[in-house]
C-alpha cells in the first residue's frame, strides 16, 4: 500500500508556471505507475499525465496539456512531479496524484488504486 501527498498548488496568472509534487510513502515506489488527474467543479475527473514504472521516459499526456506539462519521477525521493508551463484559465482544477501497480491501463481513474487528497491550482486571466 502507498500513501500520496500532493503539494505545490496555488494561484498563478495565465502564462505562468507551477510545479506540483507528489510524495509517496513505502519502499516500492519504483514499481508503481504514477498518474496526475484533475477535476473542475461539476465535472468528471480527467486524465492529465502518467509515467510508467518500467522507464522514466515512458510518459503519456492528455492532448490538452501536451507540450505544456511535463511529468517526471525521482525514485530516490519517492516523488513524482508535474511541471506546468504556459498555464491557462481552463487549467484551473484540483489536481490529484494517483498510483497503481496493475496493468489495467493508464488513462482512466479506475485504472489507479491509490489517490492523494488533491491540490488546488487556480489560473487567473
Amino acid at each position: 500500500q502507498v500513501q500520496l501527498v500532493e503539494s505545490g498548488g496555488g494561484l498563478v496568472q495565465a502564462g505562468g508556471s507551477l510545479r506540483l509534487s507528489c510524495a509517496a510513502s513505502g519502499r516500492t515506489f519504483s514499481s508503481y505507475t504514477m498518474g496526475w488527474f484533475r477535476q473542475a467543479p461539476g465535472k468528471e475527473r480527467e486524465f492529465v499525465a502518467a509515467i510508467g514504472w518500467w522507464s522514466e521516459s515512458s510518459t503519456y499526456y492528455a492532448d490538452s496539456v501536451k507540450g505544456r506539462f511535463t511529468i517526471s519521477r525521482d525514485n530516490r525521493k519517492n516523488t513524482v512531479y508535474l511541471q506546468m508551463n504556459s498555464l491557462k484559465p481552463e487549467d484551473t482544477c484540483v489536481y490529484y496524484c494517483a498510483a497503481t501497480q496493475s496493468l489495467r491501463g493508464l488513462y482512466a481513474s479506475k485504472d489507479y488504486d491509490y489517490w492523494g487528497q488533491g491540490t488546488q491550482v487556480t489560473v487567473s486571466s
Side-chain angles (χ1 to χ4, degrees):
Q1 192 161 351
V2 62
Q3 293 182 324
L4 306 172
V5 179
E6 302 98 334
S7 61
L11 174 64
V12 64
Q13 288 189 331
S17 298
L18 282 175
R19 188 176 82 155
L20 305 183
S21 300
C22 173
S25 65
R27 295 178 290 179
T28 59
F29 174 77
S30 60
S31 67
Y32 284 84
T33 290
M34 302 300 297
W36 285 99
F37 286 75
R38 65 186 183 184
Q39 188 169 19
K43 294 189 177 182
E44 292 189 356
R45 193 169 296 187
E46 65 175 9
F47 171 79
V48 175
I51 184 167
W53 60 264
W54 52 92
S55 171
E56 293 185 9
S57 62
S58 59
T59 57
Y60 309 86
Y61 297 95
D63 287 343
S64 58
V65 307
K66 202 171 292 183
R68 300 188 298 124
F69 290 11
T70 302
I71 188 171
S72 61
R73 66 191 299 160
D74 186 338
N75 289 336
R76 295 168 300 175
K77 296 182 178 180
N78 280 14
T79 301
V80 63
Y81 304 98
L82 186 68
Q83 177 67 44
M84 305 187 295
N85 299 328
S86 302
L87 282 161
K88 305 175 182 179
E90 51 264 43
D91 294 319
T92 295
C93 287
V94 177
Y95 284 72
Y96 296 91
C97 175
T100 183
Q101 289 182 307
S102 79
L103 297 176
R104 292 189 297 267
L106 292 170
Y107 302 106
S109 297
K110 64 178 177 61
D111 295 331
Y112 293 81
D113 301 303
Y114 305 102
W115 294 85
Q117 82 288 351
T119 185
Q120 176 71 46
V121 171
T122 302
V123 184
S124 63
S125 57

